[in-house]
Amino acid sequence: MDDSTEVNILLLGDAECGKSTFLSRISQGPNGAKGASITLLKDMNQPFIFDIKLSATPYRFQLFDTASPENWTLLTPNIIVLCYDISSRLSLINTQRLWSKEIHRAFPDPLPVLLLGLKRDLRSETDPNGIIYPQEGYRVAQELRCDKYLECSAVSGELLGEVWEDVCRTAVESVKADGGGLSSGGCGVM
């Protein structure tokens, strides 16, 4: 797609929070067969390229997945997807204390930021004290002034298509003439 608009999307979050599985499932089709095995994408193949048409306009999404600030400070993302593991309270705490501060340090200009809870399928299988419910995730997204709060499961496919569509639409809005940026008063929930 030579005439496509390039959009850089940066996925940030702790190692093992589900970013690679999310991207791998998306690469196989967000509405793929539930329970089908997931072939994981390799970090060395970054950026992960997705050519997409929205409203008859072609876009080339370049997605970068990292858990290390040294790997992304030279990138120029149009949007950031801040990821955490719904079944790990530490993952959410790191999102609040580490990742949000790193974003503001590395990217002083406002960027759209989405908070994405991954591993939704593990919510019912974990210790109730460590699990993060949607209300808490949404509250944290508001505190961090994220543009949206989303959650899904790449393994079960639950809400995967809807989350991918929301990420795509937000990314496209970020490259339009009026651009995007952090919400001034809260976030939307999908």
Side-chain angles (χ1 to χ4, degrees):
M1 298 179 113
D2 296 323
D3 60 340
S4 59
T5 301
E6 198 171 276
V7 182
N8 293 321
I9 302 172
L10 178 59
L11 276 76
L12 296 176
D14 288 354
E16 307 295 322
C17 76
K19 300 180 306 292
S20 295
T21 305
F22 172 75
L23 287 173
S24 298
R25 176 62 84 170
I26 293 297
S27 73
Q28 295 171 350
N31 298 318
K34 292 181 180 174
S37 65
I38 300 172
T39 304
L40 289 179
L41 299 172
K42 306 254 187 285
D43 283 348
M44 68 181 137
N45 296 330
Q46 292 193 60
F48 306 113
I49 307 286
F50 295 90
D51 291 319
I52 295 175
K53 273 192 175 182
L54 287 173
S55 303
T57 304
Y59 293 93
R60 171 160 281 189
F61 291 162
Q62 297 187 108
L63 285 93
F64 300 86
D65 161 16
T66 186
S68 172
E70 293 82 34
N71 295 342
W72 53 272
T73 54
L74 298 176
L75 299 175
T76 55
N78 300 100
I79 179 175
I80 295 174
V81 181
L82 190 54
C83 302
Y84 77 95
D85 176 350
I86 285 173
S87 67
S88 168
R89 182 144 309 272
L90 181 59
S91 178
L92 184 61
I93 290 168
N94 286 341
T95 298
Q96 293 172 285
R97 294 185 182 161
L98 171 68
W99 292 107
S100 64
K101 288 178 178 58
E102 288 294 324
I103 289 170
H104 295 294
R105 184 188 61 74
F107 307 109
D109 295 331
L111 286 170
V113 177
L114 309 181
L115 181 60
L116 174 58
L118 296 167
K119 301 185 182 182
R120 183 180 165 105
D121 56 305
L122 297 180
R123 182 172 277 142
S124 62
E125 300 173 14
T126 58
D127 173 12
N129 297 323
I131 186 170
I132 291 87
Y133 289 96
Q135 304 89 319
E136 184 177 1
Y138 180 70
R139 180 187 54 76
V140 169
Q142 287 181 314
E143 288 172 6
L144 297 178
R145 297 186 52 212
C146 294
D147 291 278
K148 292 184 182 168
Y149 174 71
L150 313 161
E151 59 180 52
C152 69
S153 168
V155 171
S156 72
E158 183 182 9
L159 295 175
L160 188 69
E162 294 87 345
V163 165
W164 178 237
E165 182 177 333
D166 220 18
V167 168
C168 292
R169 291 194 185 284
T170 304
V172 165
E173 287 297 316
S174 75
V175 295
K176 289 188 176 177
D178 56 353
L182 291 175
S183 295
S184 57
C187 71
V189 67
M190 193 200 95

